[in-house]
Amino acid sequence: MNSNHSGKRKILIADDDDDSRAMLSFLLEEEGWEVREAKNGEEALEIVIKEQPDLLILDNRMPKLTGVEVYKHLQAQEIKIAVVLATAHGYLDELASSLGIAHFISKPYDIPELLKTIESAYKNS
């Protein structure tokens, strides 16, 4: 879904935590991304389908649909998008691996590591 490499890169932050979304949104806009936000999994899925962002930061624990459920819906609909899976809870590497998600990061975020993970996910999409 990286057809927009020549224009501003679009990213969707899907996280039910308002402070986390606000912090990431500010940070990523400073890095030159066009940022959209979703407060739950259902909203994230709608925005991905409608706006086709280049990358999705997907928190796993969200209301309505979890990050895993959102990812499985995208897979079922054959929607290709770079995903960075995030969670504050353990077992993240095993969870990401079981889904085939190569890029993941634990919360709270280590900002340099987060930016590195996002760039890697974007370049490898």
Side-chain angles (χ1 to χ4, degrees), residues 32-84:
W33 290 87
E34 182 181 322
V35 178
R36 293 281 293 152
E37 297 180 20
K39 293 182 260 186
N40 60 58
E42 196 175 273
E43 196 175 292
L45 198 54
E46 289 171 7
I47 292 171
V48 167
I49 291 168
K50 186 176 173 188
E51 300 189 18
Q52 302 181 349
D54 299 304
L55 196 141
L56 168 62
I57 297 177
L58 187 59
D59 185 31
N60 189 39
R61 293 206 176 177
M62 294 187 291
K64 298 193 179 176
L65 292 173
T66 67
V68 169
E69 290 168 331
V70 169
Y71 187 74
K72 287 181 176 177
H73 277 279
L74 295 173
Q75 296 289 92
Q77 295 180 43
E78 298 182 359
I79 295 173
K80 305 291 182 207
I81 181 171
V83 173
V84 175

Side-chain angles (χ1 to χ4, degrees), residues 4-5 20 36 38 46 62 70 74 78 89 95 100 108 114 125:
N4 197 19
H5 274 218
S20 185
R36 293 281 293 152
E46 289 171 7
M62 294 187 291
V70 169
L74 295 173
E78 298 182 359
H89 306 281
L95 178 63
L114 173 66
S125 63

